[in-house]
Amino acid sequence: MSKTCTSSPSNKREYITDLGEILIKDNGKKKFYKPEEIKEAHKKSKWYHYIDFSCWGMSIYSSHSDFDTYHAKTGEVCDYAEMKTEMLSGLSLASVSDWTEIPDLDIDASWLGFGDVFDGLLEGIGEFISGIFDGI
Protein backbone atom coordinates (compact mmCIF):
# COMPACT_ATOMS: atom_id res chain seq x y z
CA MET A 1 0.00 0.00 0.00
CA SER A 2 1.44 3.35 -0.98
CA LYS A 3 1.11 6.58 0.93
CA THR A 4 1.28 10.20 -0.14
CA CYS A 5 3.46 12.97 1.25
CA THR A 6 2.25 15.18 4.06
CA SER A 7 0.49 18.43 3.34
CA SER A 8 2.71 21.33 2.30
CA PRO A 9 4.07 23.90 4.76
CA SER A 10 1.75 26.86 5.25
CA ASN A 11 4.64 29.34 4.94
CA LYS A 12 6.46 27.95 1.90
CA ARG A 13 8.84 30.88 1.54
CA GLU A 14 10.00 30.63 5.14
CA TYR A 15 10.42 26.85 4.91
CA ILE A 16 12.40 27.06 1.65
CA THR A 17 14.61 29.80 3.11
CA ASP A 18 15.26 27.98 6.39
CA LEU A 19 15.99 24.69 4.68
CA GLY A 20 18.23 26.36 2.08
CA GLU A 21 20.31 28.09 4.73
CA ILE A 22 20.89 24.80 6.57
CA LEU A 23 21.72 22.93 3.35
CA ILE A 24 24.30 25.53 2.32
CA LYS A 25 25.81 25.73 5.81
CA ASP A 26 26.14 21.94 6.15
CA ASN A 27 26.87 20.90 2.54
CA GLY A 28 28.07 23.97 0.66
CA LYS A 29 26.36 25.45 -2.36
CA LYS A 30 25.27 22.78 -4.83
CA LYS A 31 22.95 22.67 -7.79
CA PHE A 32 21.11 19.73 -6.16
CA TYR A 33 21.14 18.07 -2.76
CA LYS A 34 20.54 14.40 -2.06
CA PRO A 35 17.24 13.49 -0.38
CA GLU A 36 19.18 12.30 2.67
CA GLU A 37 20.86 15.72 2.98
CA ILE A 38 17.46 17.40 2.76
CA LYS A 39 15.96 15.12 5.41
CA GLU A 40 18.91 15.86 7.70
CA ALA A 41 18.52 19.60 7.12
CA HIS A 42 14.82 19.32 7.95
CA LYS A 43 15.71 17.62 11.25
CA LYS A 44 17.90 20.62 12.11
CA SER A 45 15.22 23.15 11.16
CA LYS A 46 12.64 24.77 13.40
CA TRP A 47 10.01 22.84 11.41
CA TYR A 48 11.17 19.45 12.71
CA HIS A 49 8.76 19.36 15.65
CA TYR A 50 5.72 19.99 13.46
CA ILE A 51 5.27 17.83 10.36
CA ASP A 52 7.96 16.23 8.22
CA PHE A 53 7.93 18.61 5.26
CA SER A 54 11.26 17.26 3.94
CA CYS A 55 9.55 15.73 0.91
CA TRP A 56 8.39 19.22 -0.05
CA GLY A 57 11.95 20.44 0.41
CA MET A 58 13.12 17.67 -1.92
CA SER A 59 10.84 19.03 -4.64
CA ILE A 60 12.86 22.27 -4.49
CA TYR A 61 16.40 21.17 -3.67
CA SER A 62 16.85 17.68 -5.15
CA SER A 63 17.05 16.60 -8.78
CA HIS A 64 13.96 15.12 -10.38
CA SER A 65 15.64 11.72 -10.71
CA ASP A 66 16.80 11.68 -7.05
CA PHE A 67 13.29 12.69 -5.97
CA ASP A 68 11.71 9.86 -7.98
CA THR A 69 14.29 7.30 -6.81
CA TYR A 70 13.76 8.27 -3.17
CA HIS A 71 9.99 7.93 -3.49
CA ALA A 72 10.23 4.61 -5.30
CA LYS A 73 12.25 3.30 -2.34
CA THR A 74 9.91 4.70 0.32
CA GLY A 75 6.69 3.75 -1.47
CA GLU A 76 5.36 7.29 -1.21
CA VAL A 77 3.38 8.56 -4.16
CA CYS A 78 4.50 12.12 -4.79
CA ASP A 79 4.61 14.14 -7.99
CA TYR A 80 7.77 16.24 -8.38
CA ALA A 81 6.30 18.75 -10.83
CA GLU A 82 3.07 19.29 -8.89
CA MET A 83 4.88 19.68 -5.59
CA LYS A 84 7.53 22.02 -7.01
CA THR A 85 4.81 24.11 -8.64
CA GLU A 86 2.92 24.38 -5.35
CA MET A 87 6.07 25.28 -3.41
CA LEU A 88 7.17 27.90 -5.93
CA SER A 89 3.68 29.40 -5.97
CA GLY A 90 4.45 30.35 -2.38
CA LEU A 91 7.28 32.51 -3.73
CA SER A 92 5.16 34.77 -5.90
CA LEU A 93 6.50 38.25 -6.51
CA ALA A 94 3.74 39.62 -4.32
CA SER A 95 4.95 37.64 -1.31
CA VAL A 96 8.68 38.20 -1.72
CA SER A 97 9.69 41.77 -1.04
CA ASP A 98 13.41 41.09 -1.40
CA TRP A 99 14.64 38.12 -3.47
CA THR A 100 17.98 38.32 -1.70
CA GLU A 101 16.20 37.00 1.41
CA ILE A 102 16.25 33.57 -0.22
CA PRO A 103 19.89 32.41 -0.10
CA ASP A 104 21.44 31.39 -3.41
CA LEU A 105 18.12 30.37 -4.96
CA ASP A 106 18.79 28.08 -7.91
CA ILE A 107 15.69 27.13 -9.86
CA ASP A 108 15.97 23.90 -11.85
CA ALA A 109 13.83 23.80 -14.99
CA SER A 110 14.06 20.02 -15.62
CA TRP A 111 10.73 19.46 -13.87
CA LEU A 112 8.88 21.45 -16.53
CA GLY A 113 8.96 18.40 -18.82
CA PHE A 114 9.37 20.17 -22.14
CA GLY A 115 11.85 17.53 -23.22
CA ASP A 116 13.57 18.05 -26.54
CA VAL A 117 11.03 20.61 -27.77
CA PHE A 118 13.30 23.50 -26.91
CA ASP A 119 16.59 21.65 -27.52
CA GLY A 120 18.01 22.61 -24.17
CA LEU A 121 16.73 26.18 -24.25
CA LEU A 122 15.71 25.87 -20.60
CA GLU A 123 18.96 24.17 -19.65
CA GLY A 124 20.87 26.52 -17.44
CA ILE A 125 17.90 28.68 -16.46
CA GLY A 126 18.81 28.08 -12.81
CA GLU A 127 22.30 29.42 -13.37
CA PHE A 128 20.91 32.41 -15.25
CA ILE A 129 18.43 33.29 -12.50
CA SER A 130 21.04 32.62 -9.81
CA GLY A 131 23.40 34.99 -11.64
CA ILE A 132 20.78 37.71 -11.51
CA PHE A 133 20.43 37.26 -7.74
CA ASP A 134 24.21 37.24 -7.30
CA GLY A 135 24.34 40.62 -8.99
CA ILE A 136 21.81 42.18 -6.64
Side-chain angles (χ1 to χ4, degrees):
M1 181 176 195
S2 61
K3 57 183 180 167
T4 58
C5 291
T6 60
S7 58
S8 65
S10 58
N11 190 332
K12 293 166 185 58
R13 183 184 116 196
E14 188 175 336
Y15 181 69
I16 289 169
T17 301
D18 290 349
L19 198 61
E21 288 173 352
I22 295 167
L23 286 166
I24 291 169
K25 180 180 174 268
D26 290 354
N27 304 287
K29 184 179 177 185
K30 299 181 184 181
K31 183 170 182 160
F32 298 111
Y33 295 90
K34 296 291 181 189
E36 297 77 20
E37 293 171 324
I38 296 164
K39 287 195 77 63
E40 192 60 35
H42 176 80
K43 288 178 185 175
K44 293 179 177 181
S45 76
K46 68 180 182 182
W47 303 85
Y48 181 64
H49 297 290
Y50 299 103
I51 297 174
D52 184 0
F53 296 121
S54 61
C55 184
W56 291 92
M58 288 177 206
S59 74
I60 297 297
Y61 292 110
S62 72
S63 70
H64 194 163
S65 62
D66 284 347
F67 179 93
D68 288 345
T69 300
Y70 172 83
H71 287 88
K73 288 178 185 176
T74 63
E76 292 176 318
V77 178
C78 300
D79 185 284
Y80 182 81
E82 285 180 20
M83 292 175 73
K84 188 167 212 151
T85 299
E86 183 174 336
M87 289 299 286
L88 292 177
S89 72
L91 299 178
S92 69
L93 287 174
S95 69
V96 178
S97 59
D98 183 2
W99 280 97
T100 60
E101 292 175 12
I102 303 172
D104 299 311
L105 181 65
D106 189 7
I107 299 173
D108 166 41
S110 66
W111 64 282
L112 293 172
F114 290 120
D116 295 328
V117 175
F118 294 102
D119 285 329
L121 178 64
L122 295 177
E123 196 171 312
I125 194 169
E127 290 84 0
F128 173 74
I129 292 172
S130 181
I132 291 171
F133 295 133
D134 289 342
I136 294 177

